[in-house]
C-alpha cells in the first residue's frame, strides 16, 4: 500500500492508536507485532482480522474466560535447541512448560460446548494444532510445581542426595563435638562457626590458631580471627564436595536427556508460541475496541466510504473519562459522489472530521474494529494521500505553500480511482485569488482521475465548483447562529460559511470596523450566501424528485401486482368453469349408462320410436357438453400462454418448469425426446406431448413431510433464542429459521434476546418480524428486571 507523504501515520495520528494497542498487549512479543501493524489491501486478510477481533470482543463482553495470560519469550531457547547436543537450562524448561500448559487450555476452551461455532475464526487459528501430552509429562517428571528439580528425577540423583544428607548429619554431629571441646578450652570466638570456600569452618582468635590442627581457609580483615577447617571434618567435607560434583554432573545429564527428548518437537512448540502471540495481538485489538465501543463495519472490495455514527477514535477516548460528548459524523462517498468539499468556520471541526475519515480507513485496513455503527460500509483503497498541517521545511528551503504544491504534484501523478486523498485548507498559504484558482485546477484534475477525497477549504470558488460538477459534494460543519458556537456536526449537501463577521461581533470588535470590513469584501460574501441558498434549494428539489420517483416505482409495482393478480384470477375462473363442465360431462356419462339400460328395456318392449328419440337426445346433449368443455379449455390455454413467462422462442429443455394444459399440474422437465417430455412432479414421473405443456415459473417449495416433523418440532422446540454477537445477516437467517420452527411447532410465545448496545439487532428483529404479520398478535419488551429493551417478546396467533 502506498502513502504520500511517508508520514501519513503521524499526520492522521495512527501512530497514537498503535501506542494504545501496545499497552493492551500481555507480552512484549505481541507489542512488537502491534507496533508493526500496517494497512493492507487484501480483502480476505482484512475481513479475517476484523472477524477475529469481533469474536474476541464478544468473549470479553460475555466474560467467557479465554485462557490467555502472560507467557515468556522462548524463541532464543527454541532456536538453540535445534542444534544437536545443546542442553537447555532449568529456567528454559519452565518457559516451555508454561507455553505447553497455556496451549492445552486454549484447545480445551474450544472443545467445550459450542465454542467452535460461536467463535469460528478464532477456532480456525487453533484448529491446525496437534497437542502432545507426553511433552508435559516429560518435563513434570523432572521438575515440580515450583520449578525445582525433583529429588526423584533419576535413581542416581536419589542415591546422591540420600548420601549427601547422611554426610551432612555426620558433619553436624562431629562439628558439635569439636565446638564443645574447643569452647571449653576458650579457643573459639563468640560466633564459633562460619563458612569459607563452601566449607564449614571454626572462628578462632588469632592467638589460638596454632593450637587447633586443621586448614586455615581465611582470616578477618583485621587479622584477629582465623577461619579453620578442623582436621576431624576434612574428610567428611571432602566427601560432601565429591557428592556435590556428582550431583552437578547428574543434573546436567538429566537436563541433557530432557533436551534430547524435547528437541524433535521444537518446531511444534514454536508454532504453539506463535499461536499464543497471535491470540495476544487479537486480545489487544479487542480490548481497545471495548474501550472505544468499536465494531465491525460492512466490508467491500471496491473503494467506498459509508460512515454512520462514526467517532474520531482518539477524540472519543479523550472525552470519555471527562464526561464530554463526542459528536458522531455521517458520510457517504461512492463512485457517483466521490469528493467532499468541507467548509465552515474555524475551530468548527472540519479538520477533525477529515482526519477521522482517514484514521478510520487506516484502522479498518489494518484489521482494527472502529467506533462506527455496524451498518457502516468501508471499501479498500490502495493509496492514501494526506496534505495536513504546516509543511514548511528549512532543510529543503521550502515554504508551506511550496511544499503543498509539491504534494499536489505528487498526488496528481500517482492518483487513481483507488486512492483516498485528504487535504486540509486547500489553497491556503498564498494570495487568495491565485491560490484559489490553482486549488480549483488541482481539484478539477483530482475529479477527472476519479479519486475519493475529503478537502477542507474557505474558498468560495471551490464551493461553486463543487456545486456545478456532479460527483463532488458540498458539506459544512454546522454552526449555531444564535449562540455563535460550533456544534461539530457534519452536514453533507450544503456549503458552509466562515461566519467571520458574526464571530468578530461576538469577540467585541466595534461596529465601525466590522462595517468597513463588510464593504471591503465586495461581492464575494454575497456569492457565498447565494451559493448556500442555491444548494439548499437544489437539495430540497433532489429530495422531492427522489420521493416522486419512489412513489412512481411503488405505483408501477402495485399496477404490475394488480395486473398479475387479475390475470391469475381470470385463469382460475376459467379453470373453475372448465372443471365444472368436465364434471357435467362425467355426470352425463354416468347418466348415459342408466339411459342405455332404459333403451334396452324399451327395445325389449318393442317401443323402438321412443328408444331412438331418447338415444338421439342423449347424443346431442353429450356433444354439446363436450363442445363447451373444448371451448373453455381453449380459453384457459390462451390465457395461460398470454400470462406465461417469456421464453424468447426458446424450445422447452431439461430443467424448465412447465404446466400441463389439462389439469394444471406444475413440474420440471427431466428429459426431452422428440416431441415428448418426461416431467418430474414431486415423486412422480409423467410423460406428455410438448404441445400439451406450457411454460411456468418455479413453484414455491413446500415441505412434504409436515406430518412426520410436526411432532418432532413440537417436542424439541425451544422458545428462547440468543442473537447477541451475531452480525445483521447472521441474525436475520437465524431468526427466520427460529420463527418458522415456532410456527411449525404451534408455539404461542417467543423470547428473543438481542441485547441493548446501539439497538442494531433490536431493529433487525423488528424488521424481520414484520414479514410474519399475519401470524403475530403482539410484540413488546418486558419490564427492566426481565431484560427491558434487550429482549423482545412475541405472541403468536
Amino acid at each position: 500500500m502506498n502513502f504520500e507523504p511517508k508520514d501519513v501515520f503521524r499526520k492522521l495520528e495512527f501512530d497514537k492508536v498503535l501506542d494504545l494497542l501496545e499497552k493492551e498487549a500481555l507480552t512484549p512479543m505481541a507489542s512488537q507485532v502491534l507496533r508493526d501493524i500496517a494497512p493492507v489491501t487484501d480483502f480476505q486478510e482484512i475481513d479475517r482480522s476484523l472477524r477475529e477481533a469481533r469474536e474476541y470482543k464478544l468473549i470479553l463482553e460475555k466474560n467467557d474466560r479465554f485462557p490467555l495470560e502472560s507467557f515468556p519469550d522462548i524463541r532464543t531457547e527454541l532456536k538453540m535447541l535445534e542444534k544437536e547436543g545443546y542442553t537447555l537450562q532449568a529456567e528454559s524448561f519452565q518457559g516451555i512448560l508454561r507455553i505447553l500448559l497455556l496451549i492445552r487450555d486454549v484447545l480445551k476452551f474450544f472443545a467445550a460446548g459450542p465454542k467452535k461455532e460461536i467463535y469460528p475464526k478464532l477456532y480456525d487459528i487453533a484448529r491446525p494444532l496437534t497437542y502432545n501430552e507426553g511433552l508435559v509429562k516429560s518435563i513434570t517428571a523432572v521438575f515440580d510445581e515450583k520449578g525445582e528439580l525433583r529429588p526423584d528425577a533419576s535413581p542416581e540423583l536419589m542415591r546422591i542426595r540420600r548420601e549427601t544428607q547422611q554426610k551432612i548429619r555426620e558433619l553436624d554431629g562431629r562439628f558439635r563435638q569439636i565446638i564443645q571441646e574447643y569452647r571449653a578450652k576458650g579457643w573459639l570466638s563468640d560466633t564459633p562457626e562460619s563458612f569459607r570456600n563452601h566449607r564449614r569452618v571454626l572462628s578462632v582468635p588469632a592467638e589460638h590458631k596454632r593450637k587447633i590442627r586443621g586448614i586455615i581457609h581465611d582470616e578477618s580483615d583485621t587479622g584477629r580471627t582465623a577461619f579453620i577447617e578442623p582436621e576431624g571434618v576434612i574428610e567428611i567435607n571432602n566427601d560432601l564436595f565429591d557428592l556435590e560434583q556428582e550431583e552437578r554432573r547428574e543434573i546436567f545429564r538429566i537436563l541433557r536427556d530432557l533436551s534430547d527428548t524435547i528437541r524433535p518437537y521444537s518446531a511444534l512448540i514454536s508454532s504453539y508460541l506463535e499461536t499464543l502471540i497471535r491470540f495476544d495481538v487479537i486480545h489487544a485489538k479487542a480490548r481497545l475496541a471495548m474501550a472505544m465501543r468499536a465494531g465491525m463495519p460492512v466490508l467491500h472490495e471496491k473503494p467506498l466510504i459509508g460512515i454512520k455514527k462514526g467517532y474520531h477514535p482518539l477524540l472519543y477516548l479523550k472525552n470519555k473519562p471527562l464526561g464530554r460528548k463526542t459528536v458522531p459524523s455521517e458520510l457517504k462517498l461512492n463512485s457517483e459522489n466521490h469528493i467532499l468539499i468541507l467548509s465552515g468556520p474555524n475551530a468548527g471541526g472540519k479538520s477533525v472530521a477529515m482526519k477521522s475519515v482517514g484514521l478510520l480507513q487506516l484502522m479498518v485496513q489494518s484489521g482494527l474494529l472502529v467506533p462506527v455503527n455496524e451498518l457502516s460500509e468501508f471499501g479498500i483503497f490502495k493509496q492514501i494521500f494526506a496534505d495536513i498541517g504546516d509543511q514548511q521545511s528549512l532543510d529543503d528551503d521550502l515554504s508551506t505553500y511550496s511544499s503543498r504544491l509539491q504534494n499536489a504534484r505528487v498526488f496528481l501523478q500517482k492518483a487513481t480511482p483507488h486512492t483516498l486523498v485528504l487535504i486540509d485548507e486547500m489553497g491556503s498559504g498564498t494570495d487568495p485569488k491565485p491560490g484559489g484558482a490553482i486549488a480549483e485546477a488541482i481539484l478539477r484534475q483530482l475529479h477527472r482521475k476519479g479519486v475519493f477525497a475529503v478537502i477542507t477549504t474557505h474558498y468560495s470558488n471551490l464551493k461553486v465548483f463543487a456545486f456545478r460538477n456532479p460527483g463532488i459534494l458540498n458539506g459544512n460543519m454546522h454552526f449555531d447562529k444564535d449562540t455563535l458556537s460550533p456544534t461539530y456536526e457534519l452536514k453533507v449537501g450544503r456549503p458552509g460559511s466562515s461566519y467571520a463577521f458574526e464571530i468578530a461581533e461576538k469577540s467585541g470588535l466595534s461596529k465601525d470596523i466590522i462595517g468597513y470590513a463588510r464593504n471591503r469584501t465586495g461581492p464575494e460574501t454575497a456569492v457565498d450566501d447565494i451559493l448556500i441558498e442555491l444548494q439548499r434549494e437544489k437539495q430540497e428539489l433532489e429530495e422531492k424528485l427522489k420521493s416522486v420517483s419512489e412513489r412512481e416505482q411503488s405505483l408501477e409495482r402495485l399496477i404490475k401486482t394488480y395486473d398479475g393478480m387479475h390475470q391469475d384470477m381470470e385463469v382460475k375462473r376459467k379453470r373453475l368453469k372448465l372443471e365444472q363442465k368436465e364434471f357435467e360431462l362425467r355426470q352425463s356419462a354416468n347418466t348415459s349408462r342408466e339411459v342405455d339400460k332404459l333403451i334396452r328395456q324399451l327395445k325389449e318392449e318393442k317401443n323402438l320410436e321412443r328408444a331412438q328419440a331418447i338415444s338421439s337426445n342423449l347424443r346431442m346433449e353429450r356433444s354439446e357438453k363436450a363442445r363447451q368443455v373444448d371451448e373453455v379449455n381453449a380459453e384457459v390455454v390462451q390465457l395461460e400462454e398470454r400470462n406465461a413467462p417469456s421464453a424468447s422462442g426458446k424450445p422447452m429443455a431439461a430443467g424448465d418448469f412447465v404446466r400441463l394444459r389439462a389439469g394444471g399440474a406444475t413440474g420440471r422437465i427431466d428429459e426431452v425426446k422428440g416431441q415428448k417430455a418426461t416431467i418430474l412432479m414431486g415423486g412422480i414421473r409423467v410423460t406428455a406431448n410438448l404441445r400439451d405443456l406450457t411454460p411456468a415459473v418455479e413453484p414455491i417449495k413446500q415441505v412434504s413431510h409436515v406430518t412426520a416433523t410436526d411432532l418432532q418440532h413440537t417436542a424439541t422446540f425451544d422458545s428462547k433464542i440468543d442473537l447477541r454477537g451475531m452480525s445483521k445477516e447472521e441474525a436475520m437467517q437465524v431468526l427466520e429459521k427460529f420463527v418458522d420452527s415456532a410456527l411449525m411447532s404451534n408455539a404461542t410465545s417467543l423470547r428473543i434476546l438481542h441485547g441493548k448496545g446501539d439497538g442494531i439487532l433490536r431493529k433487525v428483529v423488528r424488521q424481520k418480524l414484520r414479514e410474519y404479520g399475519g401470524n403475530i398478535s403482539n410484540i413488546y419488551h418486558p419490564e427492566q428486571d426481565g431484560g427491558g429493551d434487550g429482549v423482545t417478546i412475541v405472541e403468536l396467533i
Side-chain angles (χ1 to χ4, degrees), residues 350-402:
K350 298 191 302 296
S351 297
V352 172
M354 177 202 60
K355 286 182 178 181
S356 178
V357 173
L359 181 56
L360 292 174
Q361 188 66 44
L362 287 175
M363 290 177 66
V364 168
Q365 291 193 225
S366 299
L368 301 178
L369 302 179
V370 285
V372 298
N373 186 292
E374 291 191 351
L375 296 179
S376 299
E377 300 174 282
F378 283 85
I380 297 176
F381 292 92
K382 296 180 180 178
Q383 302 185 113
I384 296 181
F385 300 161
D387 185 359
I388 301 171
D390 189 357
Q391 305 287 323
Q392 187 171 3
S393 172
L394 297 177
D395 294 336
D396 298 329
D397 195 23
L398 292 176
S399 67
T400 299
Y401 188 65
S402 297

Side-chain angles (χ1 to χ4, degrees), residues 15-76:
D15 56 334
K16 294 183 179 179
V17 174
L18 297 182
D19 290 339
L20 294 173
L21 268 176
E22 281 191 81
K23 294 177 181 177
E24 299 294 347
L26 295 172
T27 64
M29 296 161 284
S31 294
Q32 184 58 49
V33 174
L34 292 166
R35 168 49 56 187
D36 296 336
I37 278 181
V40 296
T41 58
D42 183 77
F43 177 85
Q44 299 297 335
E45 183 179 351
I46 297 170
D47 183 69
R48 187 196 69 242
S49 297
L50 290 172
R51 291 182 184 276
E52 288 172 353
R54 183 180 67 177
E55 289 179 7
Y56 206 113
K57 178 170 174 274
L58 179 61
I59 286 177
L60 298 177
E61 290 172 342
K62 296 174 69 174
N63 195 23
D64 224 348
R65 298 186 181 279
F66 189 80
L68 185 66
E69 300 173 1
S70 180
F71 50 90
D73 185 356
I74 59 170
R75 288 176 293 188
T76 302

Side-chain angles (χ1 to χ4, degrees), residues 36 38 46 89 138 169 193 204 221 241 248 272 311 321 368 402 428 463 466 478 485 505 547 573 641 733:
D36 296 336
I46 297 170
Q89 299 299 313
S138 297
R169 287 193 294 271
E193 63 177 295
V204 182
D221 294 338
F241 178 79
R248 192 174 292 112
Y272 291 167
Y311 296 87
L368 301 178
S402 297
S428 64
K463 305 175 193 177
H478 186 254
S485 58
E505 287 180 4
S547 176
R573 188 178 67 81
E641 289 178 345
Q733 292 177 2

Side-chain angles (χ1 to χ4, degrees), residues 532-591:
I532 292 172
E533 185 61 26
L534 283 173
Q535 191 81 52
R536 183 186 64 78
E537 293 178 358
K538 178 184 176 184
Q539 188 175 4
E540 290 177 356
L541 180 60
E542 288 175 347
E543 290 174 355
K544 288 180 180 179
L545 287 173
K546 182 179 179 182
S547 176
V548 170
S549 176
E550 289 176 351
R551 290 184 179 182
E552 286 181 350
Q553 292 175 3
S554 177
L555 181 60
E556 287 179 4
R557 287 194 298 269
L558 285 173
I559 291 172
K560 288 181 179 179
T561 302
Y562 173 78
D563 287 344
M565 292 174 63
H566 176 72
Q567 292 167 358
D568 287 345
M569 289 297 294
E570 186 67 18
V571 170
K572 289 179 181 178
R573 188 178 67 81
K574 293 290 184 183
R575 279 198 165 281
L576 186 61
K577 184 177 179 181
L578 175 62
E579 290 172 359
Q580 182 180 356
K581 293 297 181 183
E582 289 176 340
F583 176 75
E584 290 176 358
L585 185 60
R586 288 194 299 272
Q587 289 294 105
S588 176
N590 293 333
T591 304

Side-chain angles (χ1 to χ4, degrees), residues 28 84 116 145 181 202 204 211 233 242 331 333 362 401 467 506 538 545 628 633 691 736-737 769 792:
E84 194 65 33
K116 299 175 185 177
E145 294 80 3
E181 179 184 348
L202 298 173
V204 182
K211 300 175 182 177
V233 298
D242 291 340
L331 176 62
L333 295 180
L362 287 175
Y401 188 65
F467 176 75
K506 185 179 179 181
K538 178 184 176 184
L545 287 173
Q628 292 177 356
N633 189 44
R691 65 175 179 271
E736 181 176 331
K737 292 180 181 178
L769 291 177
T792 296

